[in-house]
Amino acid sequence: MSEYGKLIDGWHGVGHLVNEVTRLFDDSWINGTASFFASLPNAFFHHSTPTRISELDSDYQIPLPDIEYQATHSPTMEQFFDAANASYAIRGTAPEGLEPFEIDGRQAELVDLVSGMSARVWETTDNHQLIVSFSPSGGGLTLLTNPFQVPGQFISNVPTATGWESVGQQDAVKFVSYVADAANERGISSDDIFVTGHSLGGALAQYVGQQTGLGGVSWAGQGIVPSDNAVGDGSNFISVVTYGDPWATLSSDVEGVQPMAADFDVENGVHPHWGTVVLVGDVNDQVDLHDLYAAPLHDNALVFVVEFLARGFSHHFPANQGLDLGITPEIPRTDWFPGAKQHGELFDVADHTIAETIVANDERTDYHDLALPDTETDAQSLLAQAINANVSDDAMAQLDSSADLASVDSDVAAALAQVVGVAGADDAAQLDAVA
């Protein structure tokens, strides 16, 4: 049994218990009262609606959207990013291209202290489409104005990591139903309602997309549990994942953090991302992460924890995805966060719709596969194409005997450069990735 299997067996019951206790208190007057008063500072700074848990009692059924229309007529990737990134801001200033979606003169917002579900609603200024943005664990900088939200947000990760649909996920669907009802009264149909979020917020957005068919973009969200009630095929949804991110790659459809994640299985995995996975950054960062996870944790647990957290800072925050896609964070400037930088080749899709981004992703020549490169096998296959190139016998002998490209010397590296002229574009890109 894999380490993940042992983890699930050991913690599955704990996840269920956490869910049931959360459900008990989530529906209580205690949560209703506490969430309302805790939300008042946010309501002041964001000019948003104070939290009323009764909004989650909406019985409005979201009509199935036109999935193809949503994919081809969605907001841009930059608008999705700005909506998700704004969850980290204290002040309520709208990013360029967005404006608050208001109910009773205030931006629609809800922060459920018990389930950990927190969301704000934006409206695009060009096409007047709605983007429901779910907050990450900790709420970004809003933890300064509502620190009481933090425990529920972190606890809500336990059920999803142990094979359950969390109460927070279910509350996310209820909140979107409430928003869709209000939007419907203003003539905005479900065709023009989308979801997004970063980290925990990305996982919540994925779940809403899975359960309602609404389109959207998840930023650095981990995989979610498959559902027999899934609506649509996810063709109007994108999950953006950065190579080397220890949280977003915690899934069954991205290879690298096994054996601590579910077994790698793109088609039938037990913890996949919803929609099309768009990988950004440098695949070598994922190889390094794989090496970290593959080492026995008991050898040096402290080193593992330190490196795990360090990689989270350097690869998980919103700016890491934005900069790789040609998007500069505005409100707040999360590109100032520690470790924030462009990690890989620029995938410039800032002004693309969901459908355009999926097409562009299929046409990329840089390495962006869900599976890690098989360094020895792939390298030897590519190097075999150099036989007819102008490579010296000594260099060729070293290539044939090398099981790891990192071990070849500078003379052989020069020979490798000639392979690029022999191999096809995809092979050359793969060679660059594994070298």
Side-chain angles (χ1 to χ4, degrees), residues 75-96:
T76 66
M77 294 294 287
E78 185 166 20
Q79 287 173 318
F80 279 118
F81 177 85
D82 285 344
N85 189 61
S87 295
Y88 281 82
I90 295 178
R91 66 187 191 277
T93 306
E96 184 178 354

Side-chain angles (χ1 to χ4, degrees), residues 135-426:
S135 297
S137 298
L141 297 179
T142 62
L143 66 86
L144 299 176
T145 54
N146 189 354
F148 304 103
Q149 67 185 310
V150 177
Q153 289 173 334
F154 279 99
I155 290 173
S156 69
N157 287 296
V158 175
T160 53
T162 54
W164 298 93
E165 296 177 353
S166 72
V167 175
Q169 289 175 326
Q170 294 163 357
D171 281 351
V173 173
K174 294 175 182 177
F175 180 67
V176 175
S177 297
Y178 165 75
V179 172
D181 189 11
N184 181 60
E185 294 179 357
R186 304 183 197 180
I188 301 175
S189 74
S190 58
D191 290 347
D192 289 313
I193 300 176
F194 298 83
V195 292
T196 194
H198 178 261
S199 193
L200 169 64
L204 293 175
Q206 288 180 63
Y207 182 79
V208 173
Q210 178 197 73
Q211 295 295 306
T212 66
L214 293 177
V217 179
S218 163
W219 303 93
Q222 64 173 281
I224 62 174
V225 179
S227 173
D228 293 335
N229 299 319
V231 177
D233 57 4
S235 59
N236 58 345
F237 203 99
I238 288 174
S239 289
V240 180
V241 175
T242 302
Y243 280 129
D245 182 344
W247 287 297
T249 57
L250 194 64
S251 65
S252 59
D253 55 0
V254 178
E255 188 177 21
V257 297
Q258 292 76 19
M260 294 306 295
D263 292 341
F264 177 61
D265 187 336
V266 175
E267 299 297 329
N268 300 299
V270 299
H271 205 227
H273 292 91
W274 180 247
T276 298
V277 178
V278 171
L279 288 159
V280 296
D282 185 347
V283 68
N284 291 304
D285 293 339
Q286 190 70 7
V287 174
D288 291 343
L289 186 64
H290 170 70
D291 293 343
L292 174 66
Y293 273 83
L297 301 187
H298 56 76
D299 282 359
N300 198 327
L302 179 60
V303 171
F304 173 83
V305 170
V306 171
E307 288 204 36
F308 179 89
L309 294 175
R311 292 169 196 270
F313 276 104
S314 63
H315 291 78
H316 185 66
F317 286 120
N320 294 301
Q321 296 94 56
L323 295 174
D324 276 313
L325 297 178
I327 302 169
T328 300
E330 292 184 359
I331 300 174
R333 291 298 301 269
T334 49
D335 54 331
W336 294 347
F337 284 19
K341 67 176 183 178
Q342 180 182 328
H343 286 278
E345 183 174 326
L346 178 65
F347 181 39
D348 193 1
V349 293
D351 61 352
H352 285 34
T353 63
I354 290 173
E356 290 169 341
T357 302
I358 292 174
V359 170
N361 188 60
D362 291 339
E363 295 174 348
R364 288 165 69 182
T365 57
D366 60 318
Y367 192 93
H368 61 284
D369 202 290
L370 296 168
L372 291 177
D374 184 335
T375 304
E376 180 175 353
T377 302
D378 292 348
Q380 294 300 325
S381 175
L382 291 172
L383 295 177
Q385 300 180 52
I387 292 177
N388 294 324
N390 185 22
V391 180
S392 69
D393 291 341
D394 289 342
M396 200 65 225
Q398 185 178 356
L399 292 176
D400 288 338
S401 63
S402 174
D404 184 350
L405 287 180
S407 68
V408 302
D409 63 25
S410 58
D411 291 334
V412 178
L416 292 179
Q418 300 182 49
V419 180
V420 175
V422 177
D426 290 342

Side-chain angles (χ1 to χ4, degrees), residues 88-145:
Y88 281 82
I90 295 178
R91 66 187 191 277
T93 306
E96 184 178 354
L98 300 176
E99 60 186 14
F101 175 73
E102 296 184 345
I103 295 178
D104 297 329
R106 289 177 169 269
Q107 182 175 19
E109 180 175 26
L110 189 142
V111 182
D112 187 319
L113 297 186
V114 171
S115 75
M117 193 282 294
S118 174
R120 253 189 280 178
V121 189
W122 299 95
E123 183 173 352
T124 63
T125 56
D126 49 5
N127 297 317
H128 299 288
Q129 296 173 307
L130 302 191
I131 303 177
V132 181
S133 176
F134 297 99
S135 297
S137 298
L141 297 179
T142 62
L143 66 86
L144 299 176
T145 54

Side-chain angles (χ1 to χ4, degrees), residues 11-33:
W11 287 86
H12 192 68
V14 174
H16 178 65
L17 177 62
V18 168
N19 240 5
E20 292 308 306
V21 173
T22 299
R23 196 183 318 279
L24 176 65
F25 284 97
D26 193 47
D27 296 332
S28 70
W29 66 268
I30 298 175
N31 184 38
T33 303

